[in-house]
């Protein structure tokens, strides 16, 4: 799509819904993949501009189109685990 995941306004608050935007390399578009389980390829996606915030699915549902937001990182929650 040529777009990047972004935290609007580089917010460090919880419950901020993430958006797609034109890629610009700013800190609010940079994330780190943290390995939770290498064998199963499960990751936590941590926002670099707000180290305590992780990409979180709105629910643990496996359907398309689920909204994502940033929340305090809790590695044990399925909504914080990505493959």
């Amino acid at each position: 799509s040529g777009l990047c995941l972004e935290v609007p306004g580089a917010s460090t608050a919880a419950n901020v819904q993430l958006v797609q935007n034109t890629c610009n390399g700013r800190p609010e578009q940079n994330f780190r993949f943290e390995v939770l389980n290498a064998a199963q390829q499960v990751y936590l996606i941590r926002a670099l501009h707000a180290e305590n915030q992780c990409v979180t699915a709105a629910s643990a549902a496996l359907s398309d189109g689920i909204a994502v937001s940033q929340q305090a990182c809790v590695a044990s929650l399925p909504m914080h685990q990505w493959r």
Side-chain angles (χ1 to χ4, degrees):
S1 73
L3 299 174
C4 288
L5 186 64
E6 178 177 294
V7 180
S11 175
T12 58
N15 300 317
V16 174
Q17 187 167 336
L18 306 185
V19 298
Q20 288 184 322
N21 203 350
T22 303
C23 300
N24 57 33
R26 293 179 55 100
E28 61 267 26
Q29 292 183 347
N30 288 281
F31 300 87
R32 179 179 48 148
F33 286 72
E34 185 175 302
V35 177
L36 293 177
N37 184 317
Q40 295 181 4
Q41 298 180 336
V42 178
Y43 302 88
L44 195 65
I45 305 174
R46 193 176 294 271
L48 290 183
H49 76 284
E51 278 291 311
N52 63 330
Q53 299 292 324
C54 286
V55 176
T56 306
S59 74
L62 300 176
S63 56
D64 292 341
I66 296 279
V68 293
S69 63
Q70 69 177 10
Q71 300 276 335
C73 300
V74 181
S76 62
L77 291 178
M79 290 89 69
H80 293 214
Q81 300 173 3
W82 299 91
R83 291 182 187 208

